[in-house]
Amino acid sequence: MEMTLGRILLINANKYPGREAVIMEDGRVTFSQLNDNANQRANALVNLGVKKGDHVAILAPNCIELVESLFGIWRTGAVVVPLNTRLSPNELSYIIDHSDASAILFVDGFRETIKQIMPKIKKVKRFLCVGKNPLHDFIDFEKEKSQQSTEAPLIEVKEEDIATIVYTAGTTGKPKGVVATHKNWVWESIDKLFASWSSFYKAQKVLNTNPLFHSGGFLNLFWSFFPGQTIVLLTKAAPKNIFQWIEKEKVERVHTQPTVYAMMLQFPDIQKYDLSSVKLVGSGGERMPEETRNQLENIFPGAGIYELYGLTEECGTATVRLDRYTKAKPSSVGRSFLFEEIRIVDEQGKDVPVGEVGEVILRCPHMMKEYYKDPEKTANAIRGGWLYTDDLGRLDEDGFLYINERKKNMIVSGGENIYPKEVEDVLLRHPKIVEVAVFGVPDKVWGERICAAIVLENGKQMTADEVIGFCKQNIASFKKPKSVYFVNSLPKSPMNKVLRSELKKMFQN
């Protein structure tokens, strides 16, 4: 039997037909209903000419139609290319074209965006609109779905078939497409459940704010579905919204990012809500500050706190610090999962002694297959069967991992990964800017604040608002600098490389 993502849903539909699978603001569905709806969408896709192996891009916020469509696409053997809804039209166009998507599925609210990028995405032949307000300019996917059978299409989908191409920011300024198979995602979920079942079995209703265009969003969805748990999937991570849903649904496990927790802690009326149902509080995407963790213990008394570390290239997570180790190893990101191996190596790829810092490398059955259409970057990332993460860390004598720096100069702000070079490339297009260095400094709310140090052409003047406005016109808004500093020169090494560490020291306050 081939264990695929579509089969996991089928198993739960047979085991727990009346149990709620997904609860959202726009409705709720049981496992049986979700399975039937996914089959209808799969049959609609087949009827519209989508074939096994085709790439289908999706532009949608968290919604029930999105969950149904994901499993519908996987039932056809097609590949999901999730699109970050916060990207600019130019960024979306690049990913859609690079991924060779032949169809794009989008919610009605993105009509104008789709119209804007249509001339640039020539490979797309089918434009499918989902939602309650069908658009006559495109294929009404809701109508197509309603006319289909609830029986699954007779298409053989195998574990080794590609399930997703998730794009992640690239150090060269262009995003990379991380290719993962059904087998990768299934193994990822099994690995996590083996490690966490002793804690997670007691939390049957899970609240998740991660968007389903991130690998973390996929992982939390599968992590809930595999054991037949109910996921409360939010579209907006607003504190009031989170507290209301916890109280209303008696949520037992909450999973979101440190940035969201920081916002929750600043909400003035926390005491008005009954949060006593929460037994577990989970975090990922970036390290949680100790102050945040301590405050969470106050608003969720008795709840265990766990943290995850990982990356898109191995389907989400590599380590977990379970709640029972939080007090003993508060600054660690935990130990590797059962089927995951971790080593810390030097520049020659040799293991360093316990406690010493080196590059974190991983080996596991849920490691990516490749970077899409980029054999050179694939060969650099996967060497000798090991995934080189570019993250610096160390292991202690108990096998717990500590991360010193993420992805070299990567900035993690609001749960989003921002690479300085991508922003720098945009700013250097401005005729007044001669040099620029983008870096992050600690921020209590966002995790890190994006900063830009700029050298202007002699005699030219700019304001910070002009710089930020220029960025907003050319890249996603969340990548724009929040602080801009005009300097006479940038600190550099003898090799003429910009010293971002010096800039961080100069402007961290």
Side-chain angles (χ1 to χ4, degrees):
M1 179 178 70
E2 297 285 336
M3 189 57 70
T4 63
L5 296 174
R7 184 170 292 279
I8 297 304
L9 176 57
L10 175 62
I11 290 172
N12 281 340
N14 291 331
K15 276 187 179 180
Y16 322 108
R19 180 180 296 178
E20 288 182 319
V22 181
I23 297 173
M24 295 198 68
E25 294 97 325
D26 60 344
R28 51 184 72 207
V29 290
T30 64
F31 280 108
S32 179
Q33 291 169 334
L34 181 58
N35 186 65
D36 288 347
N37 293 342
N39 286 340
Q40 285 185 293
R41 293 193 185 275
N43 288 318
L45 289 167
V46 172
N47 190 56
L48 291 167
V50 174
K51 304 182 299 296
K52 180 178 179 179
D54 284 354
H55 297 180
V56 181
I58 297 184
L59 184 61
N62 289 351
C63 59
I64 287 179
E65 292 92 344
L66 171 58
V67 179
E68 294 172 357
S69 297
L70 288 171
F71 284 95
I73 293 169
W74 290 321
R75 287 262 165 90
T76 69
V79 179
V80 169
V81 183
L83 302 172
N84 188 329
T85 57
R86 300 172 67 187
L87 294 180
S88 68
N90 285 339
E91 292 167 313
L92 291 171
S93 298
Y94 173 81
I95 293 174
I96 294 168
D97 184 68
H98 184 269
S99 69
D100 297 317
S102 60
I104 181 166
L105 188 151
F106 63 97
V107 297
D108 43 30
F110 286 96
R111 173 180 184 168
E112 295 306 316
T113 300
I114 296 298
K115 283 192 171 184
Q116 185 176 345
I117 66 178
M118 281 181 74
K120 302 178 182 179
I121 50 176
K122 302 292 187 181
K123 299 172 188 176
V124 177
K125 307 302 181 187
R126 303 168 188 85
F127 293 84
L128 315 175
C129 180
V130 301
K132 298 175 175 61
N133 300 301
L135 306 175
H136 300 298
D137 320 54
F138 307 102
I139 297 171
D140 183 351
F141 197 48
E142 298 306 302
K143 181 179 179 181
E144 294 289 335
K145 170 211 167 189
S146 67
Q147 298 171 352
Q148 302 300 321
S149 166
T150 58
E151 295 296 319
L154 298 177
I155 299 172
E156 185 181 16
V157 183
K158 297 185 176 181
E159 294 174 1
E160 297 292 348
D161 291 337
I162 298 172
T164 59
I165 305 177
V166 179
Y167 277 77
T168 183
T171 54
T172 60
K174 293 295 185 182
K176 298 173 290 187
V178 177
V179 178
T181 64
H182 286 265
K183 180 180 178 180
N184 291 148
W185 284 111
V186 169
W187 267 105
E188 167 75 8
S189 303
I190 290 172
D191 211 358
K192 306 306 166 281
L193 289 171
F194 260 112
S196 60
W197 186 247
S198 61
S199 297
F200 281 23
Y201 80 94
K202 59 187 178 183
Q204 291 298 310
K205 190 170 282 188
V206 183
L207 183 142
N208 175 63
T209 67
N210 290 344
L212 294 177
F213 52 71
H214 278 174
S215 58
F218 280 141
L219 178 58
N220 278 291
L221 182 68
F222 303 149
W223 213 353
S224 301
F225 275 12
F226 267 61
Q229 295 175 341
T230 301
I231 186 167
V232 179
L233 192 59
L234 300 189
T235 303
K236 296 180 180 179
K240 183 177 181 180
N241 197 33
I242 293 172
F243 293 138
Q244 287 177 336
W245 279 97
I246 291 175
E247 182 177 63
K248 178 182 177 182
E249 296 296 334
K250 305 301 179 188
V251 168
E252 295 164 296
R253 176 164 69 90
V254 178
H255 191 97
T256 188
Q257 301 152 341
T259 299
V260 177
Y261 286 126
M263 293 177 178
M264 289 166 62
L265 290 168
Q266 293 180 23
F267 190 72
D269 298 319
I270 299 177
Q271 67 280 358
K272 291 183 178 180
Y273 299 94
D274 181 5
L275 309 178
S276 60
S277 61
V278 177
K279 300 173 182 176
L280 281 172
V281 175
S283 176
E286 55 190 303
R287 273 192 57 192
M288 182 187 292
E290 188 172 355
E291 180 183 353
T292 299
R293 188 166 55 242
N294 293 337
Q295 290 178 313
L296 284 176
E297 291 176 346
N298 294 328
I299 68 169
F300 297 114
I305 298 177
Y306 66 93
E307 292 186 59
L308 303 165
Y309 158 76
L311 55 162
T312 304
E313 284 82 350
E314 48 90 71
C315 293
T317 56
T319 67
V320 61
R321 193 201 65 238
L322 294 172
D323 52 307
R324 60 178 175 271
Y325 296 115
T326 296
K327 296 295 184 184
K329 308 279 187 177
S331 57
S332 167
V333 292
R335 284 194 286 211
S336 59
F337 294 99
L338 182 62
F339 301 102
E340 186 116 28
E341 298 174 78
I342 292 182
R343 292 167 55 205
I344 308 295
V345 299
D346 59 21
E347 292 183 359
Q348 287 73 46
K350 296 180 180 178
D351 293 308
V352 302
V354 171
E356 288 194 12
V357 175
E359 183 175 357
V360 181
I361 66 173
L362 312 168
R363 184 166 65 180
C364 58
H366 44 85
M367 196 164 64
M368 72 171 182
K369 182 177 181 180
E370 62 187 354
Y371 288 123
Y372 189 61
K373 297 195 300 191
D374 202 332
E376 184 178 343
K377 284 189 174 66
T378 301
N380 184 60
I382 302 176
R383 290 173 256 164
W386 290 83
L387 177 66
Y388 282 68
T389 68
D390 282 337
D391 289 350
L392 297 177
R394 62 182 175 85
L395 290 170
D396 69 12
E397 62 280 359
D398 298 318
F400 281 77
L401 178 66
Y402 299 78
I403 297 297
N404 289 55
E405 189 173 351
R406 297 282 321 252
K407 296 279 187 182
K408 294 182 178 178
N409 297 315
M410 184 177 72
I411 302 167
V412 182
S413 182
E416 296 283 357
N417 296 342
I418 298 100
Y419 281 89
K421 189 172 187 341
E422 183 181 10
V423 186
E424 290 165 2
D425 286 346
V426 169
L427 287 171
L428 286 171
R429 297 178 200 165
H430 198 287
K432 293 182 181 180
I433 296 176
V434 177
E435 286 188 290
V436 60
V438 173
F439 55 98
V441 298
D443 187 280
K444 289 184 177 180
V445 174
W446 297 103
E448 285 186 287
R449 184 172 73 255
I450 306 167
C451 304
I454 292 174
V455 179
L456 295 176
E457 186 177 343
N458 286 337
K460 301 294 185 181
Q461 291 185 339
M462 284 186 79
T463 66
D465 286 343
E466 283 181 85
V467 173
I468 294 170
F470 184 75
C471 284
K472 288 175 69 175
Q473 292 173 10
N474 292 279
I475 53 174
S477 182
F478 68 84
K479 298 178 183 178
K480 69 181 184 297
K482 289 183 171 63
S483 299
V484 178
Y485 308 104
F486 296 100
V487 296
N488 294 324
S489 62
L490 299 176
K492 296 178 182 177
S493 71
M495 299 298 291
N496 209 35
K497 292 185 178 181
V498 175
L499 299 173
R500 287 186 176 83
S501 58
E502 292 301 313
L503 289 169
K504 289 183 180 183
K505 292 177 184 177
M506 291 167 60
F507 298 112
Q508 64 182 346
N509 295 321

